[in-house]
Amino acid sequence: LQIEIISTKLIKPSSPTPKHLQNYKLSFFDQLAEREHMPLVLFYPRDNSCIIEYDKFDEKLEQSLSRILTHVYPTSGRLSNDHLSINCLDQGVTFTKAKVNCQFDDFINQVKKNLNLAMFLIPKGIKDLSDTDFDITSLVVAQVTEFQCGGLALSVSASHPVMDGFSNFKFVYEWAKVCKFGIPADEINFLSFNFGDIFPARDLSSIFPPRVYPKKWDEKFVGKRFFIDEITMSGLRENLTSAIDSGELSFKPSRVEIITAILWRTLIRVSEVKHGYLRPSLVYFPVNLRGKISLPLKENAFGNFVIDSPILFVPGENNKMELHDFVTLIRSSVQKTIAACAKGSADHIVVAVANIYKEYFLSQEWGTDNDEVDKCIISSLCKFPIHEADFGWEKPNLMHFGLRDYHTCWMYDAECGSICVQVDLKESYMKLFECDNDIKTFTKF
């Protein structure tokens, strides 16, 4: 593949940011986010019946982006030197136009076999940024890449200390609406910006021990997509009915809980094959806290408001490997995390979050530097409207998430009620993962 960069420019808000909004305070939860960019790539085939004329797509993208930045003003600023706020001086969002030397359908067919190819279309230079480069890189970086004979890839990468998945996907979804329908700037109003007032930034050194970052893995990571259709989901629910009837399962699990249980159990079995024994396992399960706490925080709040709920498998204690055992473990762990943060003042919630992180993610027993514990992220993007992001070219026919630098499973809604799972694993793990009986039985490629 050869990517030809046509142009790169800074897109600024269509109206200047008012003086009283030129310093946006980051929150405690923003401080907890990883210092990295999180890219999303959406693929759109050419459709001559689209609302927006094909030869005007880049112009429409730039104009609509400029209008939406007037509302989401922090995204066109830059991080302050102390990393506690954003200087919102309309520095702009980096916008790149590019071309790739292949046809859209050929590329999509190859990506379905080798998901790593999608990484070629994320904005250049956003992966493995140094601290200095991270601070000066624009908070949102967008790139639109045109294929030969039509078809587009739109990549949007957001700075994680500024935006979580909800904020990022909401930004892209609303940008698509503004682009498609030509919504004027003064009618754009879909996010609130008061996180820093409710959860002000703190001196983290007084709350947490020094942070230990994951070791860089030498082994290549690969990504694959797996689909679980509605018929398979119905069968899985029926299989769990017997556990409910026998009292082994006391609730009707959601589809996300069922799929998380399948993925996690498979990863535990893969690790057992790799190491020759059953090992402890820790799942980071991100939970969006919007709408789950008692504080007067709007559900459309911009920023980070996610906590990684720790879900633990201990071989000596949790030696049952039935699917309903994992479903129960997932439900109880997530509910415990939400309950710890649901009530009380902002200070109470900060203490609860700090206790969770210190007990699990930063502890000697379960922390980053303990190589005897397997760790992975399983994240549900279901019900996020990102697959509905129609810029005037219909909906995307393929999506790609993340940087592929950690064992991660991303779930999201697909066509006809099915769920797609993007699985990012080290290559040797993936070879075992895709051969597991559960994966072969319950999923389709």
Side-chain angles (χ1 to χ4, degrees), residues 30-82:
D30 295 325
Q31 289 178 285
L32 299 182
E34 297 287 346
R35 281 175 57 80
E36 64 182 7
H37 264 252
M38 290 298 292
L40 161 73
V41 189
L42 304 174
F43 293 89
Y44 295 90
R46 179 162 186 169
D47 185 344
N48 292 324
S49 65
C50 292
I51 290 177
I52 294 179
E53 296 177 41
Y54 194 78
D55 59 352
K56 295 183 179 179
F57 70 89
D58 52 349
E59 178 185 342
K60 293 291 187 182
L61 272 178
E62 290 182 31
Q63 292 173 350
S64 55
L65 177 58
S66 179
R67 293 200 299 276
I68 208 167
L69 291 178
T70 300
H71 173 54
V72 195
Y73 63 94
T75 56
S76 58
R78 296 292 183 272
L79 287 171
S80 63
N81 291 334
D82 61 8

Short mmCIF file of all heavy atoms in Angstrom, two decimals, residues 30-82:
data_model
loop_
_atom_site.label_atom_id
_atom_site.label_comp_id
_atom_site.label_asym_id
_atom_site.label_seq_id
_atom_site.Cartn_x
_atom_site.Cartn_y
_atom_site.Cartn_z
N ASP A 30 -10.20 12.63 33.72
CA ASP A 30 -9.30 12.89 32.59
C ASP A 30 -7.85 12.56 32.96
O ASP A 30 -7.08 12.04 32.14
CB ASP A 30 -9.38 14.35 32.16
CG ASP A 30 -10.74 14.72 31.59
OD1 ASP A 30 -11.37 13.87 30.94
OD2 ASP A 30 -11.18 15.87 31.82
N GLN A 31 -7.48 12.85 34.20
CA GLN A 31 -6.11 12.57 34.66
C GLN A 31 -5.79 11.08 34.66
O GLN A 31 -4.63 10.68 34.53
CB GLN A 31 -5.91 13.11 36.07
CG GLN A 31 -5.86 14.63 36.17
CD GLN A 31 -5.71 15.07 37.61
OE1 GLN A 31 -6.65 15.03 38.40
NE2 GLN A 31 -4.50 15.48 37.97
N LEU A 32 -6.82 10.24 34.83
CA LEU A 32 -6.60 8.79 34.91
C LEU A 32 -6.41 8.15 33.54
O LEU A 32 -5.91 7.03 33.44
CB LEU A 32 -7.79 8.11 35.61
CG LEU A 32 -8.08 8.52 37.06
CD1 LEU A 32 -9.25 7.71 37.60
CD2 LEU A 32 -6.85 8.33 37.93
N ALA A 33 -6.82 8.84 32.48
CA ALA A 33 -6.77 8.25 31.14
C ALA A 33 -5.33 8.11 30.66
O ALA A 33 -4.45 8.90 31.01
CB ALA A 33 -7.57 9.11 30.16
N GLU A 34 -5.10 7.10 29.84
CA GLU A 34 -3.78 6.88 29.26
C GLU A 34 -3.40 8.05 28.35
O GLU A 34 -4.25 8.61 27.64
CB GLU A 34 -3.77 5.59 28.43
CG GLU A 34 -4.05 4.33 29.23
CD GLU A 34 -2.88 3.93 30.11
OE1 GLU A 34 -1.76 4.46 29.91
OE2 GLU A 34 -3.08 3.09 31.00
N ARG A 35 -2.13 8.39 28.36
CA ARG A 35 -1.63 9.47 27.49
C ARG A 35 -1.37 8.88 26.09
O ARG A 35 -0.23 8.55 25.73
CB ARG A 35 -0.37 10.09 28.07
CG ARG A 35 -0.68 11.09 29.18
CD ARG A 35 0.59 11.60 29.84
NE ARG A 35 1.53 12.23 28.92
CZ ARG A 35 1.42 13.48 28.46
NH1 ARG A 35 0.40 14.24 28.83
NH2 ARG A 35 2.33 13.98 27.65
N GLU A 36 -2.43 8.74 25.35
CA GLU A 36 -2.33 8.20 24.00
C GLU A 36 -3.51 8.68 23.18
O GLU A 36 -4.53 9.13 23.72
CB GLU A 36 -2.29 6.67 24.03
CG GLU A 36 -3.55 6.02 24.57
CD GLU A 36 -3.46 4.50 24.62
OE1 GLU A 36 -2.37 3.97 24.36
OE2 GLU A 36 -4.48 3.86 24.92
N HIS A 37 -3.37 8.58 21.88
CA HIS A 37 -4.47 8.85 20.98
C HIS A 37 -5.21 7.55 20.69
O HIS A 37 -4.60 6.48 20.60
CB HIS A 37 -3.95 9.44 19.66
CG HIS A 37 -4.01 10.93 19.62
ND1 HIS A 37 -4.91 11.63 18.86
CD2 HIS A 37 -3.28 11.87 20.28
CE1 HIS A 37 -4.74 12.93 19.03
NE2 HIS A 37 -3.75 13.11 19.89
N MET A 38 -6.54 7.63 20.56
CA MET A 38 -7.36 6.47 20.26
C MET A 38 -8.03 6.67 18.90
O MET A 38 -8.96 7.47 18.78
CB MET A 38 -8.41 6.27 21.35
CG MET A 38 -7.82 5.82 22.68
SD MET A 38 -6.99 4.21 22.56
CE MET A 38 -8.38 3.14 22.28
N PRO A 39 -7.56 5.96 17.87
CA PRO A 39 -8.11 6.17 16.53
C PRO A 39 -9.31 5.27 16.22
O PRO A 39 -9.43 4.15 16.71
CB PRO A 39 -6.93 5.81 15.62
CG PRO A 39 -6.17 4.77 16.40
CD PRO A 39 -6.36 5.11 17.86
N LEU A 40 -10.17 5.81 15.40
CA LEU A 40 -11.31 5.10 14.84
C LEU A 40 -11.24 5.26 13.34
O LEU A 40 -10.94 6.36 12.84
CB LEU A 40 -12.61 5.73 15.39
CG LEU A 40 -13.91 5.46 14.64
CD1 LEU A 40 -14.36 4.02 14.87
CD2 LEU A 40 -15.00 6.44 15.10
N VAL A 41 -11.49 4.18 12.58
CA VAL A 41 -11.52 4.26 11.12
C VAL A 41 -12.87 3.75 10.63
O VAL A 41 -13.29 2.65 11.00
CB VAL A 41 -10.38 3.45 10.46
CG1 VAL A 41 -10.33 3.77 8.96
CG2 VAL A 41 -9.03 3.75 11.09
N LEU A 42 -13.54 4.55 9.82
CA LEU A 42 -14.82 4.18 9.22
C LEU A 42 -14.64 4.09 7.70
O LEU A 42 -14.06 4.99 7.08
CB LEU A 42 -15.88 5.23 9.54
CG LEU A 42 -16.12 5.53 11.03
CD1 LEU A 42 -17.09 6.70 11.18
CD2 LEU A 42 -16.63 4.31 11.75
N PHE A 43 -15.15 3.01 7.11
CA PHE A 43 -14.98 2.78 5.67
C PHE A 43 -16.33 2.95 4.97
O PHE A 43 -17.32 2.33 5.36
CB PHE A 43 -14.43 1.37 5.41
CG PHE A 43 -13.02 1.18 5.91
CD1 PHE A 43 -12.77 0.76 7.21
CD2 PHE A 43 -11.94 1.43 5.07
CE1 PHE A 43 -11.47 0.58 7.67
CE2 PHE A 43 -10.64 1.26 5.51
CZ PHE A 43 -10.41 0.84 6.81
N TYR A 44 -16.33 3.77 3.91
CA TYR A 44 -17.56 4.08 3.18
C TYR A 44 -17.38 3.74 1.70
O TYR A 44 -16.53 4.35 1.02
CB TYR A 44 -17.89 5.57 3.30
CG TYR A 44 -18.24 6.02 4.70
CD1 TYR A 44 -17.25 6.49 5.57
CD2 TYR A 44 -19.55 5.99 5.16
CE1 TYR A 44 -17.56 6.92 6.85
CE2 TYR A 44 -19.87 6.43 6.44
CZ TYR A 44 -18.87 6.88 7.28
OH TYR A 44 -19.18 7.30 8.56
N PRO A 45 -18.16 2.80 1.17
CA PRO A 45 -18.10 2.54 -0.27
C PRO A 45 -18.71 3.69 -1.05
O PRO A 45 -19.52 4.47 -0.52
CB PRO A 45 -18.94 1.27 -0.43
CG PRO A 45 -19.89 1.29 0.72
CD PRO A 45 -19.16 1.95 1.86
N ARG A 46 -18.33 3.82 -2.30
CA ARG A 46 -18.91 4.88 -3.14
C ARG A 46 -20.34 4.52 -3.48
O ARG A 46 -20.65 3.40 -3.87
CB ARG A 46 -18.09 5.08 -4.41
CG ARG A 46 -18.70 6.17 -5.31
CD ARG A 46 -17.74 6.68 -6.33
NE ARG A 46 -18.33 7.81 -7.07
CZ ARG A 46 -17.65 8.60 -7.88
NH1 ARG A 46 -16.37 8.40 -8.07
NH2 ARG A 46 -18.24 9.59 -8.51
N ASP A 47 -21.22 5.50 -3.35
CA ASP A 47 -22.63 5.32 -3.70
C ASP A 47 -23.07 6.59 -4.42
O ASP A 47 -23.19 7.65 -3.81
CB ASP A 47 -23.47 5.09 -2.43
CG ASP A 47 -24.92 4.79 -2.75
OD1 ASP A 47 -25.34 5.04 -3.89
OD2 ASP A 47 -25.64 4.30 -1.85
N ASN A 48 -23.32 6.46 -5.72
CA ASN A 48 -23.64 7.65 -6.52
C ASN A 48 -24.99 8.27 -6.18
O ASN A 48 -25.32 9.36 -6.64
CB ASN A 48 -23.59 7.30 -8.02
CG ASN A 48 -22.17 7.00 -8.48
OD1 ASN A 48 -21.22 7.61 -8.01
ND2 ASN A 48 -22.02 6.06 -9.40
N SER A 49 -25.79 7.55 -5.38
CA SER A 49 -27.09 8.09 -4.97
C SER A 49 -27.00 8.87 -3.66
O SER A 49 -28.02 9.29 -3.12
CB SER A 49 -28.11 6.95 -4.82
OG SER A 49 -27.73 6.08 -3.75
N CYS A 50 -25.80 9.06 -3.14
CA CYS A 50 -25.62 9.72 -1.85
C CYS A 50 -26.10 11.17 -1.90
O CYS A 50 -26.12 11.81 -2.95
CB CYS A 50 -24.15 9.69 -1.43
SG CYS A 50 -23.58 8.03 -1.04
N ILE A 51 -26.45 11.68 -0.71
CA ILE A 51 -26.94 13.05 -0.59
C ILE A 51 -25.87 14.06 -0.99
O ILE A 51 -26.13 15.04 -1.69
CB ILE A 51 -27.42 13.31 0.86
CG1 ILE A 51 -28.70 12.51 1.13
CG2 ILE A 51 -27.65 14.79 1.11
CD1 ILE A 51 -29.20 12.63 2.54
N ILE A 52 -24.64 13.83 -0.54
CA ILE A 52 -23.54 14.76 -0.83
C ILE A 52 -22.82 14.32 -2.10
O ILE A 52 -22.42 13.15 -2.22
CB ILE A 52 -22.57 14.83 0.36
CG1 ILE A 52 -23.28 15.45 1.57
CG2 ILE A 52 -21.33 15.63 0.02
CD1 ILE A 52 -22.42 15.56 2.80
N GLU A 53 -22.65 15.24 -3.04
CA GLU A 53 -21.94 14.92 -4.27
C GLU A 53 -20.52 14.47 -3.95
O GLU A 53 -19.84 15.07 -3.12
CB GLU A 53 -21.90 16.15 -5.19
CG GLU A 53 -23.28 16.59 -5.66
CD GLU A 53 -23.19 17.84 -6.50
OE1 GLU A 53 -22.26 17.94 -7.32
OE2 GLU A 53 -24.05 18.73 -6.34
N TYR A 54 -20.10 13.43 -4.65
CA TYR A 54 -18.84 12.78 -4.29
C TYR A 54 -17.64 13.71 -4.42
O TYR A 54 -16.73 13.70 -3.58
CB TYR A 54 -18.64 11.53 -5.15
CG TYR A 54 -17.56 10.63 -4.63
CD1 TYR A 54 -17.81 9.79 -3.56
CD2 TYR A 54 -16.28 10.64 -5.18
CE1 TYR A 54 -16.82 8.97 -3.05
CE2 TYR A 54 -15.29 9.84 -4.68
CZ TYR A 54 -15.57 8.99 -3.63
OH TYR A 54 -14.58 8.19 -3.11
N ASP A 55 -17.65 14.56 -5.44
CA ASP A 55 -16.48 15.42 -5.65
C ASP A 55 -16.44 16.60 -4.68
O ASP A 55 -15.51 17.41 -4.72
CB ASP A 55 -16.43 15.92 -7.09
CG ASP A 55 -17.68 16.70 -7.49
OD1 ASP A 55 -18.64 16.72 -6.68
OD2 ASP A 55 -17.69 17.28 -8.58
N LYS A 56 -17.44 16.70 -3.80
CA LYS A 56 -17.47 17.79 -2.81
C LYS A 56 -17.35 17.28 -1.38
O LYS A 56 -17.55 18.04 -0.44
CB LYS A 56 -18.76 18.60 -2.97
CG LYS A 56 -18.87 19.33 -4.30
CD LYS A 56 -20.14 20.17 -4.35
CE LYS A 56 -20.24 20.92 -5.66
NZ LYS A 56 -21.49 21.73 -5.73
N PHE A 57 -17.01 16.00 -1.23
CA PHE A 57 -17.03 15.43 0.12
C PHE A 57 -16.02 16.08 1.05
O PHE A 57 -16.31 16.35 2.21
CB PHE A 57 -16.79 13.91 0.06
CG PHE A 57 -15.39 13.51 -0.33
CD1 PHE A 57 -14.39 13.35 0.63
CD2 PHE A 57 -15.05 13.31 -1.65
CE1 PHE A 57 -13.10 13.00 0.27
CE2 PHE A 57 -13.77 12.96 -2.02
CZ PHE A 57 -12.78 12.81 -1.07
N ASP A 58 -14.80 16.38 0.53
CA ASP A 58 -13.78 16.95 1.41
C ASP A 58 -14.14 18.37 1.84
O ASP A 58 -13.93 18.76 2.98
CB ASP A 58 -12.40 16.91 0.75
CG ASP A 58 -12.37 17.52 -0.63
OD1 ASP A 58 -13.45 17.81 -1.18
OD2 ASP A 58 -11.26 17.70 -1.17
N GLU A 59 -14.73 19.12 0.90
CA GLU A 59 -15.16 20.48 1.24
C GLU A 59 -16.24 20.45 2.31
O GLU A 59 -16.21 21.23 3.27
CB GLU A 59 -15.69 21.16 -0.04
CG GLU A 59 -16.23 22.56 0.18
CD GLU A 59 -16.85 23.12 -1.10
OE1 GLU A 59 -16.56 22.59 -2.19
OE2 GLU A 59 -17.63 24.08 -0.98
N LYS A 60 -17.22 19.55 2.16
CA LYS A 60 -18.30 19.43 3.14
C LYS A 60 -17.77 18.97 4.50
O LYS A 60 -18.23 19.43 5.55
CB LYS A 60 -19.35 18.44 2.63
CG LYS A 60 -20.11 18.90 1.41
CD LYS A 60 -21.04 20.06 1.73
CE LYS A 60 -21.92 20.40 0.55
NZ LYS A 60 -22.81 21.56 0.84
N LEU A 61 -16.80 18.06 4.48
CA LEU A 61 -16.21 17.60 5.74
C LEU A 61 -15.54 18.75 6.49
O LEU A 61 -15.73 18.92 7.70
CB LEU A 61 -15.17 16.51 5.46
CG LEU A 61 -15.65 15.06 5.39
CD1 LEU A 61 -14.49 14.15 5.05
CD2 LEU A 61 -16.29 14.63 6.71
N GLU A 62 -14.76 19.54 5.77
CA GLU A 62 -14.06 20.65 6.42
C GLU A 62 -15.04 21.68 6.97
O GLU A 62 -14.89 22.16 8.10
CB GLU A 62 -13.11 21.31 5.41
CG GLU A 62 -11.92 20.45 5.03
CD GLU A 62 -10.99 21.17 4.06
OE1 GLU A 62 -10.90 22.42 4.15
OE2 GLU A 62 -10.36 20.51 3.22
N GLN A 63 -16.03 22.03 6.18
CA GLN A 63 -16.99 23.05 6.62
C GLN A 63 -17.77 22.57 7.85
O GLN A 63 -17.97 23.34 8.80
CB GLN A 63 -17.95 23.38 5.48
CG GLN A 63 -17.30 24.10 4.31
CD GLN A 63 -18.24 24.25 3.13
OE1 GLN A 63 -19.34 23.67 3.10
NE2 GLN A 63 -17.82 25.04 2.13
N SER A 64 -18.23 21.33 7.83
CA SER A 64 -19.02 20.82 8.95
C SER A 64 -18.15 20.64 10.19
O SER A 64 -18.61 20.87 11.32
CB SER A 64 -19.69 19.50 8.57
OG SER A 64 -18.75 18.54 8.11
N LEU A 65 -16.89 20.23 10.00
CA LEU A 65 -15.97 20.11 11.13
C LEU A 65 -15.76 21.48 11.78
O LEU A 65 -15.77 21.60 13.02
CB LEU A 65 -14.64 19.51 10.68
CG LEU A 65 -13.55 19.37 11.73
CD1 LEU A 65 -14.02 18.52 12.91
CD2 LEU A 65 -12.28 18.78 11.13
N SER A 66 -15.58 22.50 10.97
CA SER A 66 -15.38 23.84 11.51
C SER A 66 -16.59 24.28 12.33
O SER A 66 -16.44 24.89 13.41
CB SER A 66 -15.14 24.82 10.35
OG SER A 66 -14.96 26.13 10.83
N ARG A 67 -17.78 23.97 11.86
CA ARG A 67 -18.99 24.36 12.60
C ARG A 67 -19.12 23.60 13.92
O ARG A 67 -19.48 24.17 14.95
CB ARG A 67 -20.24 24.15 11.73
CG ARG A 67 -20.31 25.07 10.54
CD ARG A 67 -21.73 25.17 9.99
NE ARG A 67 -22.26 23.90 9.52
CZ ARG A 67 -22.04 23.39 8.31
NH1 ARG A 67 -21.26 24.03 7.45
NH2 ARG A 67 -22.58 22.25 7.95
N ILE A 68 -18.80 22.32 13.91
CA ILE A 68 -18.98 21.53 15.13
C ILE A 68 -17.93 21.89 16.18
O ILE A 68 -18.16 21.79 17.38
CB ILE A 68 -18.97 20.01 14.82
CG1 ILE A 68 -19.79 19.27 15.86
CG2 ILE A 68 -17.58 19.44 14.74
CD1 ILE A 68 -20.12 17.84 15.47
N LEU A 69 -16.76 22.37 15.73
CA LEU A 69 -15.72 22.80 16.67
C LEU A 69 -16.14 24.04 17.46
O LEU A 69 -15.64 24.28 18.56
CB LEU A 69 -14.41 23.07 15.93
CG LEU A 69 -13.70 21.85 15.34
CD1 LEU A 69 -12.44 22.29 14.59
CD2 LEU A 69 -13.36 20.83 16.41
N THR A 70 -17.04 24.82 16.91
CA THR A 70 -17.55 25.97 17.64
C THR A 70 -18.26 25.52 18.91
O THR A 70 -18.20 26.19 19.95
CB THR A 70 -18.51 26.79 16.75
OG1 THR A 70 -17.79 27.22 15.59
CG2 THR A 70 -19.05 27.99 17.48
N HIS A 71 -18.93 24.37 18.84
CA HIS A 71 -19.60 23.81 20.03
C HIS A 71 -18.62 23.01 20.89
O HIS A 71 -18.51 23.25 22.09
CB HIS A 71 -20.76 22.92 19.60
CG HIS A 71 -21.41 22.17 20.72
ND1 HIS A 71 -21.89 22.77 21.86
CD2 HIS A 71 -21.62 20.84 20.89
CE1 HIS A 71 -22.39 21.86 22.68
NE2 HIS A 71 -22.23 20.68 22.11
N VAL A 72 -17.88 22.10 20.28
CA VAL A 72 -16.95 21.26 21.04
C VAL A 72 -15.59 21.97 21.06
O VAL A 72 -14.58 21.46 20.56
CB VAL A 72 -16.84 19.84 20.43
CG1 VAL A 72 -16.19 18.87 21.41
CG2 VAL A 72 -18.22 19.31 20.06
N TYR A 73 -15.59 23.14 21.64
CA TYR A 73 -14.43 24.05 21.56
C TYR A 73 -13.15 23.50 22.18
O TYR A 73 -12.05 23.84 21.72
CB TYR A 73 -14.80 25.40 22.19
CG TYR A 73 -15.13 25.34 23.66
CD1 TYR A 73 -14.17 25.57 24.62
CD2 TYR A 73 -16.43 25.04 24.08
CE1 TYR A 73 -14.48 25.51 25.97
CE2 TYR A 73 -16.74 24.97 25.42
CZ TYR A 73 -15.77 25.20 26.37
OH TYR A 73 -16.07 25.12 27.70
N PRO A 74 -13.20 22.63 23.24
CA PRO A 74 -11.91 22.15 23.79
C PRO A 74 -11.09 21.35 22.78
O PRO A 74 -9.85 21.32 22.86
CB PRO A 74 -12.34 21.26 24.96
CG PRO A 74 -13.69 21.77 25.36
CD PRO A 74 -14.33 22.17 24.07
N THR A 75 -11.75 20.70 21.82
CA THR A 75 -11.01 19.82 20.90
C THR A 75 -10.10 20.59 19.95
O THR A 75 -9.19 20.01 19.36
CB THR A 75 -11.98 18.95 20.08
OG1 THR A 75 -12.91 19.80 19.39
CG2 THR A 75 -12.74 17.99 20.97
N SER A 76 -10.34 21.88 19.78
CA SER A 76 -9.46 22.65 18.89
C SER A 76 -8.40 23.43 19.68
O SER A 76 -7.70 24.26 19.12
CB SER A 76 -10.28 23.62 18.02
OG SER A 76 -11.02 24.51 18.82
N GLY A 77 -8.27 23.13 20.98
CA GLY A 77 -7.24 23.75 21.81
C GLY A 77 -6.02 22.85 21.96
O GLY A 77 -5.84 21.90 21.19
N ARG A 78 -5.19 23.16 22.95
CA ARG A 78 -3.99 22.36 23.24
C ARG A 78 -3.84 22.21 24.75
O ARG A 78 -4.25 23.09 25.52
CB ARG A 78 -2.73 23.03 22.67
CG ARG A 78 -2.68 23.16 21.16
CD ARG A 78 -2.57 21.81 20.46
NE ARG A 78 -2.46 21.97 19.01
CZ ARG A 78 -3.51 22.05 18.18
NH1 ARG A 78 -4.74 22.00 18.67
NH2 ARG A 78 -3.32 22.18 16.87
N LEU A 79 -3.24 21.10 25.15
CA LEU A 79 -3.00 20.85 26.57
C LEU A 79 -2.10 21.94 27.16
O LEU A 79 -1.13 22.36 26.52
CB LEU A 79 -2.35 19.48 26.77
CG LEU A 79 -3.24 18.25 26.56
CD1 LEU A 79 -2.39 16.98 26.57
CD2 LEU A 79 -4.31 18.17 27.64
N SER A 80 -2.41 22.34 28.38
CA SER A 80 -1.56 23.32 29.07
C SER A 80 -0.29 22.62 29.56
O SER A 80 -0.20 21.38 29.59
CB SER A 80 -2.31 23.91 30.26
OG SER A 80 -2.61 22.90 31.22
N ASN A 81 0.69 23.40 29.96
CA ASN A 81 1.97 22.85 30.40
C ASN A 81 1.84 21.98 31.64
O ASN A 81 2.60 21.02 31.82
CB ASN A 81 2.97 23.98 30.68
CG ASN A 81 3.39 24.70 29.41
OD1 ASN A 81 3.36 24.11 28.32
ND2 ASN A 81 3.78 25.95 29.52
N ASP A 82 0.87 22.28 32.52
CA ASP A 82 0.70 21.48 33.74
C ASP A 82 -0.26 20.30 33.54
O ASP A 82 -0.54 19.55 34.47
CB ASP A 82 0.22 22.36 34.90
CG ASP A 82 -1.13 23.02 34.62
OD1 ASP A 82 -1.76 22.69 33.60
OD2 ASP A 82 -1.54 23.87 35.44
#
